[in-house]
C-alpha cells in the first residue's frame, strides 16, 4: 500500500494514514486503501481492536485532498462520496472496537473519520474543525449527521457554520473526544485502552457496539427490542457461561471470545 501502514500486535491492528507531505489528507487512493484494510480486518477473528492514527506529529488527517477535489465533476464528486461513505460506514460497523488516536489536525474529512470510530483519544496539540463551508461545500462524509449526534445540534451547527477550529481541551469539554493526552503518550494510552477492553468478553463488546449503533437509528421501542435480542444472543456464547461461572466461583474469568 502507498498511503496506509498496517501494524499488528497482540490482537490489535494499528492503521496509520501516511501522507505526511499533505498532512495525511484523504485522496482517492488513500480512501481506497483504507477501505481495503478495513474490509480485510473486519473478517479477522484474531484482531479484537483497531487503532486509527495519522503519520507524524502534526496531523491526524487534514481533510479530503482539496488539490485533487478542486477539479472534480459532479459525477466524480458523487463517486468519491459513495466510496467514502462506504469506507466510513464500514469503519463504524466493524465488529471490532475502533479507537481514533487523533495526533494533530482533524479537519473536515479528518474530523469525520474520527467520528466514524467508536472512541476518540486526542493529543494535546490536536485541532478539530469542519471547514467545508469555507470551501463552498458542506461536510460530506456524514459530518452533518455524526457531529450533532455526538455534541448536540446547537454546537454542531456553530462548528459547521463558523468553521472554527477547536483545540483538544474544548473538544473534550463538548464531548467530541473521550480523553486528552500528551502527544508522546497518545499511542501507548490507545493501546492500553484497547487491551483493557479486550480483557472483557469480546463478543459481548461487539454486540454492545451493534446495539448502541443500530439502536440509535431506531425508535425507542424497536431499540429496546433489538437490545433484548442481542442480550439473549449472549447466552449462546461460552463467554457468558465463563463470565458468570467465574463470578460465582470468585475467580478471574478467562474469556475465549466465543
Ligand atoms: N488537501 C490537500 N493538501 C493539503 C490539505 C488538504 N486538505 N491540507 C494540507 N495540505 C497540504 C498543503 O497544501 C501543504 O502542501 P505543500 O504546499 O507543502 O505542497 C502541506 O499539506 C502542508 O500544509 P500547510 O503548509 O498549509 O501547513 P500549515 O501548518 O500552514 O497549515 C492546516 C495546516 C491544516 C491548518 C492547513 O494546511 C489547512 O487549512 N489545510 C486544509 C484543511 C481543510 O480545509 N480541510 C478540509 C478539507 S475539505 C466529499 C465529502 C467530504 C469531503 C470531500 C468530498 N464528497 C461527498 C465527495 C471532505 C471535504 C474536506 O475534508
Amino acid at each position: 500500500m502507498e498511503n496506509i501502514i498496517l501494524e499488528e500486535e497482540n490482537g490489535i491492528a494499528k492503521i496509520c494514514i501516511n501522507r505526511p507531505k499533505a498532512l495525511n489528507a484523504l485522496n482517492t487512493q488513500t480512501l481506497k486503501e483504507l477501505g481495503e484494510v478495513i474490509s480485510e480486518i473486519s473478517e479477522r477473528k484474531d484482531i479484537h481492536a483497531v487503532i486509527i492514527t495519522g503519520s507524524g506529529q502534526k496531523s491526524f488527517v487534514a481533510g479530503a485532498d482539496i488539490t485533487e477535489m478542486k477539479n472534480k465533476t459532479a459525477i466524480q464528486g458523487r463517486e468519491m462520496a459513495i466510496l467514502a461513505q462506504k469506507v466510513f460506514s464500514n469503519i463504524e460497523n466493524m465488529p471490532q472496537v475502533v479507537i481514533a488516536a487523533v495526533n494533530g489536525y482533524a479537519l473536515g474529512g479528518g474530523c469525520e473519520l474520527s467520528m466514524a470510530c467508536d472512541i476518540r483519544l486526542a493529543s494535546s496539540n490536536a485541532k478539530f474543525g469542519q471547514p467545508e463551508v469555507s470551501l463552498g461545500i458542506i461536510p460530506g462524509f456524514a459530518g452533518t449527521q455524526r457531529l450533532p449526534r455526538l455534541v448536540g445540534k446547537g454546537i454542531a451547527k456553530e462548528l459547521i457554520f463558523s468553521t472554527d477550529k477547536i483545540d483538544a481541551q474544548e473538544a473534550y469539554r463538548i464531548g467530541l473526544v473521550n480523553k486528552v493526552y500528551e502527544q508522546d503518550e497518545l499511542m501507548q494510552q490507545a493501546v492500553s485502552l484497547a487491551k483493557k477492553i479486550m480483557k472483557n468478553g469480546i463478543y459481548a463488546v461487539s454486540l454492545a457496539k451493534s446495539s448502541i449503533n443500530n439502536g440509535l437509528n431506531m425508535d425507542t421501542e424497536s431499540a429496546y427490542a433489538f437490545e433484548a435480542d442481542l442480550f439473549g444472543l449472549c447466552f449462546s456464547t461460552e463467554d457468558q457461561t465463563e463470565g458468570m461461572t467465574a463470578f460465582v466461583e470468585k475467580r478471574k474469568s478467562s474469556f475465549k471470545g466465543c
Side-chain angles (χ1 to χ4, degrees):
M1 298 219 179
E2 238 176 78
N3 301 326
I4 300 281
I5 300 170
L6 174 64
E7 286 174 33
E8 296 177 23
E9 193 190 317
N10 304 322
I12 302 171
K14 293 184 198 165
I15 298 173
C16 180
I17 318 276
N18 183 37
R19 280 190 82 213
K21 277 190 294 189
L23 300 184
N24 306 322
L26 298 173
N27 60 2
T28 308
Q29 175 71 19
T30 311
L31 273 172
K32 281 188 180 155
E33 290 179 10
L34 183 60
E36 282 167 29
V37 158
I38 295 299
S39 300
E40 187 207 311
I41 294 173
S42 294
E43 301 292 321
R44 295 268 303 271
K45 300 285 176 245
D46 57 330
I47 299 284
H48 299 305
V50 177
I51 298 171
I52 301 182
T53 195
S55 139
Q57 305 215 315
K58 188 169 170 182
S59 184
F60 173 67
V61 167
D65 189 306
I66 302 170
T67 316
E68 185 193 73
M69 197 167 38
K70 184 168 87 58
N71 297 320
K72 278 200 189 305
T73 62
I75 296 291
Q76 288 167 335
R78 184 171 180 269
E79 282 168 2
M80 186 185 178
I82 291 168
L83 169 65
Q85 281 170 4
K86 192 160 166 248
V87 174
F88 284 27
S89 292
N90 286 349
I91 291 172
E92 188 166 64
N93 296 317
M94 288 182 97
Q96 297 95 342
V97 171
V98 186
I99 300 170
V102 181
N103 56 317
Y105 288 114
L107 302 177
C111 187
E112 291 169 299
L113 173 62
S114 78
M115 290 190 291
C117 300
D118 297 308
I119 295 168
R120 280 149 297 286
L121 306 183
S123 59
S124 52
N125 68 323
K127 289 230 162 19
F128 294 80
Q130 296 288 162
E132 285 86 348
V133 297
S134 72
L135 298 165
I137 55 173
I138 68 168
F141 297 154
T144 62
Q145 304 309 307
R146 290 196 179 101
L147 189 58
R149 282 170 170 80
L150 276 169
V151 303
K153 203 156 76 166
I155 292 175
K157 283 180 178 173
E158 184 185 348
L159 285 173
I160 290 171
F161 299 169
S162 71
T163 76
D164 279 350
K165 291 186 189 67
I166 56 168
D167 64 19
Q169 282 305 336
E170 178 64 0
Y172 174 70
R173 192 188 69 79
I174 65 174
L176 180 54
V177 303
N178 299 62
K179 297 256 168 44
V180 180
Y181 298 105
E182 290 309 311
Q183 169 95 252
D184 58 358
E185 280 179 43
L186 179 67
M187 186 47 73
Q188 182 200 324
Q189 292 289 351
V191 169
S192 132
L193 176 60
K195 284 185 177 162
K196 185 197 266 189
I197 292 169
M198 285 159 60
K199 279 191 190 142
N200 296 308
I202 209 67
Y203 198 69
V205 170
S206 190
L207 290 179
K209 170 171 171 169
S210 174
S211 187
I212 293 167
N213 282 357
N214 291 296
L216 283 173
N217 294 325
M218 295 175 188
D219 65 84
T220 321
E221 287 307 313
S222 308
Y224 293 162
F226 184 63
E227 184 190 76
D229 287 346
L230 295 189
F231 183 82
L233 196 54
C234 295
F235 288 78
S236 68
T237 66
E238 288 183 27
D239 282 356
Q240 175 270 328
T241 310
E242 167 60 13
M244 294 190 180
T245 306
F247 175 80
V248 171
E249 292 176 357
K250 300 189 187 304
R251 60 171 172 83
K252 271 197 164 178
S253 45
S254 166
F255 291 119
K256 291 189 189 142
C258 58

